[in-house]
Amino acid sequence: MRTACASASAARILPRDLRKTAAIEELVPWLYLKGISSGEMSDALLHLGFDGSGLSATSVVRMLQAWHGEYEDWSKRDLSGKSYVYLWADGLYFSCRLSDDRPCLLVLMGATADGKKHLIAMIDGQRESETSWSSLLLDCKSRGLSIAPRLATGDGALGFWIALSKMFPATRQQRCWVHKTLNVLDKLPKGEQPAAKAMLHQIWMAATRVDAIKAFDRFIGAVLFQAIRSRARSRRCG
């Protein structure tokens, strides 16, 4: 049973998807990744309003071993006959389990022809490394993923693209508009970002290529106009 004080504390600290959970098994992985040791786990749970008195350090270690085994089994599952129309690739950084190097998780997702999304693979690696992404794709192929996807999407800085060209040369490549949008907005003054973001959305949400080109031209025109006006204002003030 949680106290009111502990419940309020948990609401501030825990991520949204864990705030209403009653299962200690769902909290332990999150606490572990945040740096809580196996011996401190019961005290940490108590401060969050959960009764962790029966959770020994040995129990936590056994849970971690079980989860690692589940991941290993999942990572070795057969992919024969799987056909993905689209692929999404990204490298995700996490600030967990204090270490000298910031860990990166390489993630590959796919969508089938009927629109269902699947998490295909995820491994530790270097985001910009061709070698890391080649290792991921080679592992997928060795488990039976032989049908080339029609299109792959990801950030332009990924080492994924070189690896993909060698593993699945027939797959078309497309840069992720989320990353594109963030990169463009980062170069603009904050006051201009909301309007610019709306115009960028009009480009990739256009129904046809012709409409997309028109939206692109409008965006470039607006950005150039703002830049010229800003320079003119600076000149008058100077």
Side-chain angles (χ1 to χ4, degrees), residues 208-224:
T208 66
R209 182 181 180 86
V210 172
D211 291 338
I213 292 175
K214 290 180 180 178
F216 177 80
D217 290 341
R218 286 196 299 271
F219 172 76
I220 294 298
V223 171
L224 288 176

Side-chain angles (χ1 to χ4, degrees), residues 27-225:
L27 290 167
V28 171
W30 181 80
L31 291 169
Y32 181 78
L33 290 175
K34 287 297 182 182
I36 304 299
S37 68
S38 55
E40 299 171 330
M41 200 67 70
S42 59
D43 287 340
L45 288 168
L46 181 62
H47 281 85
L48 291 174
F50 294 86
D51 182 10
S53 57
L55 189 67
S56 65
T58 303
S59 298
V60 174
V61 171
R62 280 200 300 265
M63 292 169 70
L64 294 172
Q65 291 173 341
W67 292 326
H68 182 72
E70 290 174 3
Y71 168 74
E72 289 295 321
D73 291 341
W74 176 82
S75 297
K76 296 174 182 177
R77 73 196 187 286
D78 185 21
L79 296 176
S80 299
K82 297 291 185 182
S83 178
Y84 298 104
V85 181
Y86 303 117
L87 289 182
W88 289 273
D90 204 356
L92 307 178
Y93 289 100
F94 296 94
S95 300
C96 56
R97 303 301 295 177
L98 299 178
S99 61
D100 294 333
D101 297 321
R102 193 180 178 197
C104 182
L105 187 67
L106 306 184
V107 178
L108 188 69
M109 292 192 65
T112 56
D114 58 359
K116 294 181 180 178
K117 294 181 181 179
H118 298 272
L119 178 60
I120 301 173
M122 57 180 183
I123 63 170
D124 294 336
Q126 299 296 319
R127 194 172 186 274
E128 289 78 24
S129 168
E130 175 195 347
T131 302
S132 292
W133 284 105
S134 293
S135 177
L136 183 149
L137 292 175
L138 277 172
D139 177 66
C140 291
K141 293 192 78 170
S142 70
R143 291 189 281 125
L145 187 62
S146 58
I147 303 173
R150 298 172 73 178
L151 178 71
T153 302
D155 182 18
L158 295 176
F160 171 73
W161 300 114
I162 301 176
L164 180 71
S165 297
K166 295 178 179 179
M167 303 294 169
F168 295 107
T171 300
R172 296 179 62 186
Q173 301 180 10
Q174 177 178 291
R175 298 301 182 263
C176 173
W177 267 99
V178 172
H179 287 96
K180 279 186 180 181
T181 299
L182 292 175
N183 291 338
V184 171
L185 294 180
D186 186 55
K187 303 299 187 296
L188 297 175
K190 287 192 177 296
E192 298 176 13
Q193 290 182 8
K197 183 178 181 180
M199 296 186 74
L200 286 169
H201 283 182
Q202 291 176 7
I203 300 174
W204 64 265
M205 292 180 68
T208 66
R209 182 181 180 86
V210 172
D211 291 338
I213 292 175
K214 290 180 180 178
F216 177 80
D217 290 341
R218 286 196 299 271
F219 172 76
I220 294 298
V223 171
L224 288 176
F225 173 76

